[in-house]
Amino acid sequence: MKIYIDGEMYDKDDAKISVFDHGVLYGDGIFEGIRAYNGRIFRLDDHLKRLQDSANSILLKLPMSIKEIEKAVVETVRQNGLRDAYIRLVVTRGVGDLGLDMRKCKKGSTLFIIADKIELYPEEFYEKGLTLVTSTIRQKGLDQVTPSVKSLNYLANIMARAEATAAGAQEAILLNSTGHVSECSGDNIFFIKDGKIFTPPTSAGILVGITRQVVMELCEKKLGVKVIERNFPRYDLYAADEVFLTGTGAEVIAAVKIDGRIIGKGVAGPTTRELVKHFREYANSAASGTAVYEAVKTK
Ligand code: PXG
């Protein structure tokens, strides 16, 4: 495996960053989780836009231009010979001293890219659906560093996921400070009721998922249904016909049991199944992203 760090490729065992990097000392940094399907990097442009937005939001100067970062991502996937991959792109504040002051990180930010094989939910989960529980951990408020920043501070999400695991569930729902549903520990959430499709708005405190965006486009183009972004309580999930999650890792996946309540018929519903099919078709199509191996890029 070859890992990219600040312009150089390293073998896995030699890919190291300083213990004085503020990414390590304070979780001061941002990241993107990206997939490649069939030799194309899925919605790379959108991921890099979100990276830029996250960077601006935390006063972080990216070490190079978005165009150069795009090239580095493509090159890392290429050098690892992968067609289907999970790519982790991380930008840290860089090496500083033991204080919080970001001005002490004089060398500037560090960027590294790992491209690996992907670990997926077993296919049976796409038929049977996932079990969710509501976490006791609240989503960060909008008056904190907003959850829309994909920052290296994932402790709340990790703790929420641990609660799910302890309860025998696969994912945890985070409510926000007003008690509305925001998202899951690593996925956005949607529900379907009487043919209408709903998802929480950005103002609920969510990571604005790339998969969420693609699924909203597919709902409109393929199902002729415009997704409604509005705040909702857990009750709406319990009373839904179908609930599904979206994320880079999970793609589109049904949730069929939430806090002990059976949702709909207790298996992946017809609309969710249709969306899974449309999503996979799209992900493997030439329109889905940046080509890694062809000389001429088709977007
Ligand atoms: N909410 C949160 C909190 C996330 O971390 C999403 C929503 C979905 O966003 P995207 O852009 O992926 O549709 C995420 C993304 C992992 C993993 O290793 C987690 C994510 C992405 C990739 C891998 O568990 N979370």
Side-chain angles (χ1 to χ4, degrees), residues 173-191:
I173 297 167
L174 283 91
L175 303 180
N176 61 26
S177 56
T178 58
H180 295 104
V181 171
S182 64
E183 60 179 347
C184 292
S185 69
D187 299 286
N188 292 112
I189 190 162
F190 291 69
F191 77 89

Side-chain angles (χ1 to χ4, degrees), residues 189-191 197-201 212 216 227-230 232:
I189 190 162
F190 291 69
F191 77 89
I197 308 179
F198 301 87
T199 196
R212 172 184 183 273
M216 287 169 82
V227 174
I228 301 163
E229 293 177 78
R230 74 154 167 82
F232 56 85

Side-chain angles (χ1 to χ4, degrees), residues 266-281:
V267 290
T271 306
T272 303
R273 282 165 187 268
E274 208 164 317
L275 283 170
V276 170
K277 191 183 79 173
H278 288 308
F279 183 85
R280 288 179 175 174
E281 266 169 28

